[in-house]
Each structure stands twice: as structure tokens, then as C-alpha cells.
Amino acid sequence: MPRPFLGVPPTALPPWLTHALRAQRGPVPWNAVVRGVLAAGPLLVVAVLVGREPLGVMAALGAMFAGINDRPGSRRTAVPRIGVPGLAGAAGIAVGTYAGEGLGAAPLTLTLTALGLLAGAVSAVGPVASGAGTQLLVAAAIGAGMPLPEPGWQRALFFLAGTGWLIVLRLALPTPGALANDFRFDGERAGVAGVYDAIAELLAAVGGEQAGGRRAALTAALDHAQDALAGPRLRRYASSAAERRLRAQYAAALPLAEAATALAWSGEALPARTAQGPRRLAVAVRTGEPCGPLPAPARTVPGLRALDDALLHAAETFDHGGPRPRRTAESRTHAHPHPHPLGRGTERTARKGLHLRPLRAKALLRTVTGTGGREYGLRVALCYGAAVAVAQALHHVHWYWLPATAVFLVKPDLGPLVSRVLNRAAGTVLGALVFAGFAAVLPRPEGLVALVAISGALIPVATRHFAAQTAVVTVLVLALVMVGGEPEASWSRIGETMLACAIVLVVGHLPAPGQRGGNVRARLATATDAAHAYLTHVLSGTGDGTGDGTGRGVEGPGANGGDEGGGADDRATRWALRREAYRTLAEARAAIDRSAAELPTLARHTAGTDEVAATLERLVDTTTACAVHLDDTGRLTPRHTERLAALLDELVDRREYAGLAASPAGLRSA
């Protein structure tokens, strides 16, 4: 969770400065620290021993970039998160090397500018694509400007080998403390347990001021677990009993999350024992032990009845194959004697997939060529091209540092523009000064190799703040440069970083063709479409239910979905639509928060979008409450229908005020 970096009250500073001082907090990722020690340092040691220092520098650079992309999560999601940018970086090394050898200053500048336009547009797709685009451009600049004797294909091969080495470490090294279970799935296990913890925290916060934040935290936990479990695999279905169990446990959390969201929407505080069940389930996920008896909530309102049904189903899922979990008399009275769409829906979700629909080539192309992709691509191309042109004009031996720095500065998912510039400048100065001090006393090359290994270990911790990460990376890169045979370059590094900051500040605030804030608008449009699809699905069967208000015997497409197969499909599709609505909302909210922390000249282009996102969140929360109520009674109350109508009207009005495109067809009358 972010917190002020220097303890300064956030309200006393403008948003653009508050963001620059904000740091993440959390436990030290010791497993990533160990991987950092074993990544670049050992590769450099081998290169020094065999007398191929330049190739060792390339491999260490690949390992360093891989370490920056090595974030918490499952092993299977780490492969594309590290590997795809690594492939892009290797391609950038090859392209940059051959372009630098065969082109003059002007053609080289035009070539790299065109590459920046392509990489910037592709970066709008998502975090992995953004990392790949960034690594492509940085590596292209290094390949074109770093004076190494090896041909481009060898540089690219060893850069890719460094990336592959860290992937091997990521897959092979167990997480400390995870050996009691199958350590291959420790990331998935932690993600699923985090979902149950987040559900418990939301239930405990119902009726209080923190309920909204807890609901957002639940969305983040579900997104993290979903990504961890739905990563790439060789087979379509789970290939081991441990994986199938974790997928079933995640699916069992979806109705619990739905019921908890509905209870939070109602706003009535709950007894403390209501949160005990999800907490015990979280412990069971981490330990692999049966969950045992769970306290059943009082079945007085639809949300609590849905929560109790979901707890019973989760307990049966966790204890599958063992004794039937003990429950209170009240819970057994209301337990479903026959197969229920709740259980069939979670089974279908766990078996057939956790995403509603996979990414398609046409959808990716629309994102790349849409407003967000065009705006970011143009901005990256201008900054990157201007930095290359200025660096070529200066004829500096390390000219590639200027465009490489500009790429990191123009990268939007690292924070607002001014925040990135301030942190980059401060981190570079600190890192250069620290390295200058070490370089004056350390033996060469042994001391420099040790400095590389220590810096690699610090990267996972330093990622909590961009200035700290910049300082550590600066020390590591300067050490690599000296190991590769070049002179110490701390002071020139500071000067070129300041020049890159100036270029990005100027270009980043230039008027752009079309409307600014394209990324925010594109993500809000996606979130609106997802919310509309979710609402339409939930309301598609309103009025056909015959529920009795007890949670039993509910029929009809608006409640349990009709026949057995239809009910399972309805539940699974509804949960997938709900996940997509909340995920796209979280992505839009993150983009809006970054835009709001820009200087006023940029922040004004997305004014009013935060109110649109807030209205969408309330609409999706209300839709979830409607879904739970329809399951219980088959019909909506006047409170639900009036709230929906008011939110739909408010959403249309707020979109018009923010200057957004027209809402999806039928949104006002949905």
C-alpha cells in the first residue's frame, strides 16, 4: 500500500509532488532477493574467468532487466512477464547493433524514432506489452551505441541467455517456507489465500468507512489470483491434483466475494463471527489442511443466506474426500439437498477457465491503433527520437544513455510524468555518487562484480520507489560499464540524465493532435462496456423467479438459471462478467489516478473521469447486490430498481460532463 516517502502529510502537498514521495510497503521478498544475488553476478564471474567480459555484460544486462520484471506471483505467469520483454530486448539489441553499424546519424535517428512509435503503441495493450516495448527501445539504444566487438547476433543471444537464466532460477528455486506443500504452486496458493483474507476483511468492514477500500482490495486480490492461476500452460486443463484443487478453491471464493459485496452494498454492520469462516479457509489454503468446522452466519437477509450457501459449498470443496464439514443446525436446515447451480457453476469455472473470453488479435489491434495507443506511441516516438538526435549531435561515447533514460521517463505505468522525472533525477544523482565512492576503493574487477551482485539483490526491494530503483540500477549499470572495459562515467551519467529529463518534460507537455488523455478514455470506455454487459446479463431474467425468500427452490433464468446446465452456465458466466467489470474498473481507476497526479496542464484533460469511475463502481456494486437478491427471491425490490435507474442516469450525465463518448446503446434504459 502506498504511503508518503518522507512522512510529509499528503494534504500539505500538490498531487504531482505527493505522488513523487509515495512509496510501496510490504514484506521483503526474500526469494526475489536470492534470485537477484544469483542472477547477474554469477554470469559476470563466468565471463571474467573465460575472458569474455563484453558478452558477460550483455548477459548481465538481460538478467538485470529480467530482475526488474520479476514481480510476486505464480511461476507460470513469471514466464511471460519476464520472457516476453526479454525476447523484445534481444530483438532490440540485434536491430540496434546492425542499424548503428550500417546507418548514419540521420537515418539511425529516423529508424529508432519509427521503432519508438511502434513500441509505444504496443505498450498500450497491458503491463507485459509495456515492459516489452520499453525493453525493446532501451536495448536498441544500447545495441546501437555500446562499443562492443561482438556481432549483433551474439549480443542478442547472450542478452537472451541472461533473461533465460533468471527464468530458470524463478522456476527452480522454492520459496522459503513453502516446502511443506508442492512448492511449484506457492504463488497460486498465496494468491488464492489472499482472496479469502480479502473477503474476511471486507465482511469485517461492512457498515464502516473502510468498506469501499476493502472492496477495492478484494478486487485486487481476485485479479492477482486469477492471473496466477490462468497463466500459460502446455495443456488446456489443470494437469495435477494440486492445481485442480487450487482452481476449485479459487472458484469457490467467487460466490463468497459476490455475497460479501452485496452485504457491503446494503451497509448494515455484521457480527464479528461472519468473517471467521473466510479466515479459516485462507489458513486452509496456505497449509493444505482441511478447513474444519466453519461458523455459519444467521440467514436473515438474502446476502447472509448467499454467504452461508457459499461457505457450505467452499467447505465441501476444501474437504472433498474427507469427512463432511460440521455446520450449525441452522445451516444444515437450509443446506441444498440436491445439486445446486452454485456448485455446478464453480465446477464449470474451475474446469473450463477463469476468464470470460481470451484476447483476440482484432481486439489487440484495436487497442494498439486506438486513442490510447496512438497517443502513447506518438509521445514515445517524439521523446525517443529527440533524445537520439540530441545524443548524436553531442557525439558522446555513452550517447545511448540519453535515449535509454528518455524511454524510462516516458513510460506511463511508472507514474505521472513529473513524478517520474523528479525520481529519476534524484535516483541517478544518488546512484552515481554512491558508485563513484565505491569505484575509488574497490579492487577491479572483483569488487565491481560483487557490486553487481549486491545491486541485483537490492532491485526487488528498491522497486517500491522509483527513485530507489533508479539509484540501484544506476550503480549496477555503471559497474557493468567498467567491467566491460570502459572508463568510469558517473558524472556524465548525471549530465545525460538531466538532459533526458528536460527533453521529456518539454515533449511531454507539447500540444498533441487529437484529444489528450486517450489512455484514460479508452480504459473508461472498456470499463463501461464491461459494466453494461454485466448489468444486462443479471437483469436478463428479472421477473421470472419463483423464490420463497429462504434461498431454497428458486427457479427461472433470473435466479438459478432454469435447468441444471443453464443454471451452471448462468452462474459461471455471471461471475466471469463480474470479474471483467471489476478488473477493467480497477485498470481505469489506476490510469485516472496517475493522470490526476500530473501537472495541471495535463491533469485538466481527464477532469471529471474520476466521478465517472466512481459511478461505475457503484453501478457494478448495485448489480452484484441485484444478482444476489434475484438468486434468493427471483425479483428485485423497489430499492434495487430505483438505485439502478438513478445510477444509470447519473452515469450518462457524468460521461457527458467529462466529455466522453456516448454510452453504450440502451445504457440509460437498461
Side-chain angles (χ1 to χ4, degrees):
M1 159 176 268
R3 64 176 177 181
F5 189 55
L6 299 176
V8 181
T11 55
L13 301 173
W16 58 268
L17 186 54
T18 300
H19 192 282
L21 300 175
R22 190 176 299 166
Q24 301 292 322
R25 58 183 175 182
V28 176
W30 291 111
N31 49 343
V33 170
V34 172
R35 290 193 296 271
V37 173
L38 299 177
L43 295 177
L44 206 56
V45 169
V46 173
V48 170
L49 291 177
V50 299
R52 301 296 299 272
E53 288 86 354
L55 291 180
V57 169
M58 278 289 119
L61 281 174
M64 180 199 74
F65 282 112
I68 294 175
N69 294 318
D70 184 14
R71 300 301 175 88
S74 65
R75 283 173 169 76
R76 70 160 57 95
T77 55
V79 174
R81 188 172 58 244
I82 298 173
V84 173
L87 289 171
I93 289 287
V95 170
T97 299
Y98 292 119
E101 293 173 351
L103 299 177
L108 177 63
T109 300
L110 292 176
T111 300
L112 294 182
T113 301
L115 193 65
L117 180 64
L118 173 64
V122 170
S123 296
V125 172
V128 174
S130 179
T134 300
Q135 206 155 312
L136 172 68
L137 297 181
V138 173
I142 292 174
M146 182 175 282
L148 296 179
E150 286 76 14
W153 68 268
Q154 283 191 16
R155 300 188 194 184
L157 183 62
F158 276 83
F159 183 94
L160 192 60
T163 302
W165 171 241
L166 189 69
I167 292 177
V168 170
L169 294 176
R170 183 70 177 86
L171 296 176
L173 293 180
T175 300
L179 293 176
N181 298 299
D182 191 339
F183 77 89
R184 296 174 302 164
F185 301 107
D186 52 8
E188 291 91 335
R189 191 176 298 110
V192 175
V195 171
Y196 285 100
D197 282 332
I199 292 171
E201 294 296 329
L202 176 57
L203 291 172
V206 169
E209 296 180 355
Q210 296 183 342
R214 297 300 185 188
R215 205 276 304 148
L218 174 57
T219 294
L222 284 164
D223 290 345
H224 179 72
Q226 186 176 21
D227 291 340
L229 289 165
R233 55 170 57 83
L234 298 178
R235 301 179 182 178
R236 180 181 178 185
Y237 301 111
S239 57
S240 68
E243 185 179 357
R244 287 192 295 270
R245 182 177 179 85
L246 283 168
R247 287 168 68 88
Q249 290 171 343
Y250 170 84
L254 297 180
L256 275 172
E258 186 177 57
T261 302
L263 289 167
W265 178 85
S266 67
E268 298 180 3
L270 303 173
R273 69 193 303 266
T274 308
Q276 293 178 8
R279 286 198 176 96
R280 295 183 186 179
L281 293 174
V283 173
V285 173
R286 292 189 174 94
T287 62
E289 300 294 330
C291 62
L294 301 177
R299 299 172 62 92
T300 53
V301 294
L304 287 173
R305 287 193 286 271
L307 182 68
D308 191 28
D309 288 341
L311 277 173
L312 177 60
H313 171 69
E316 292 173 341
T317 300
F318 275 61
D319 293 344
H320 182 68
R324 184 179 178 86
R326 300 192 302 276
R327 301 284 286 171
T328 65
E330 180 185 26
S331 177
R332 288 196 300 271
T333 301
H334 293 284
H336 294 280
H338 303 294
H340 187 268
L342 179 66
R344 297 194 303 271
T346 56
E347 181 182 353
R348 179 180 181 272
T349 299
R351 186 179 69 253
K352 294 190 175 181
L354 305 173
H355 291 284
L356 178 65
R357 53 180 177 267
L359 290 175
R360 302 295 185 187
K362 289 184 178 180
L364 295 177
L365 184 61
R366 283 196 300 269
T367 302
V368 171
T369 59
T371 56
R374 293 196 305 269
E375 180 185 330
Y376 183 39
L378 180 61
R379 195 68 56 183
V380 171
L382 289 175
C383 290
Y384 191 57
V388 172
V390 172
Q392 292 288 301
L394 293 176
H395 296 290
H396 194 279
V397 65
H398 297 133
W399 69 263
Y400 54 90
W401 282 349
L402 187 57
T405 300
V407 171
F408 282 111
L409 289 173
V410 79
K411 185 176 170 63
D413 47 356
L414 290 179
L417 178 58
V418 177
S419 174
R420 296 195 302 272
V421 167
L422 291 175
N423 285 316
R424 187 75 184 186
T428 299
V429 171
L430 176 61
L433 292 176
V434 169
F435 177 78
F438 279 117
V441 298
L442 289 177
R444 302 175 188 177
E446 298 85 356
L448 297 177
V449 172
L451 197 58
V452 168
I454 294 172
S455 299
L458 292 177
I459 285 179
V461 181
T463 53
R464 300 178 182 186
H465 194 270
F466 189 42
Q469 177 181 313
T470 300
V472 173
V473 170
T474 298
V475 172
L476 195 154
V477 171
L478 289 172
L480 287 178
V481 167
M482 289 193 68
V483 172
E486 296 187 43
E488 196 269 333
S490 297
W491 309 117
S492 61
R493 178 63 170 157
I494 293 176
E496 295 196 351
T497 295
M498 298 306 170
L499 185 55
C501 290
I503 291 173
V504 172
L505 276 177
V506 172
V507 176
H509 290 85
L510 287 176
Q515 194 174 29
R516 293 293 295 263
N519 183 49
V520 170
R521 297 172 189 277
R523 292 196 180 278
L524 261 183
T526 302
T528 303
D529 291 340
H532 180 240
Y534 178 43
L535 174 63
T536 301
H537 179 83
V538 169
L539 299 185
S540 60
T542 303
D544 294 330
T546 57
D548 58 4
T550 65
R552 299 173 291 165
V554 182
E555 305 292 344
N560 289 342
D563 57 72
E564 179 175 336
D569 289 345
D570 176 79
R571 292 295 182 104
T573 301
R574 188 177 85 196
W575 294 332
L577 286 168
R578 176 180 176 273
R579 286 271 57 250
E580 188 168 354
Y582 277 118
R583 174 185 283 272
T584 54
L585 261 173
E587 293 171 350
R589 175 66 82 178
I592 291 169
D593 290 343
R594 287 194 296 268
S595 178
E598 298 281 8
L599 288 177
T601 54
L602 296 181
R604 62 184 177 85
H605 293 287
T606 55
T609 53
D610 53 341
E611 286 85 359
V612 176
T615 303
L616 274 174
E617 288 172 347
R618 292 194 296 271
L619 177 62
V620 176
D621 288 344
T622 304
T623 304
T624 302
C626 290
V628 171
H629 199 86
L630 284 170
D631 286 344
D632 190 73
T633 66
R635 59 184 59 86
L636 297 179
T637 65
R639 181 190 178 193
H640 290 93
T641 55
E642 291 171 4
R643 184 61 175 159
L644 281 177
L647 286 171
L648 290 171
D649 289 340
E650 179 184 343
L651 178 61
V652 173
D653 294 339
R654 290 195 180 279
R655 287 180 63 86
E656 293 175 354
Y657 176 78
L660 300 175
S663 303
L667 184 58
R668 186 184 289 272
S669 59

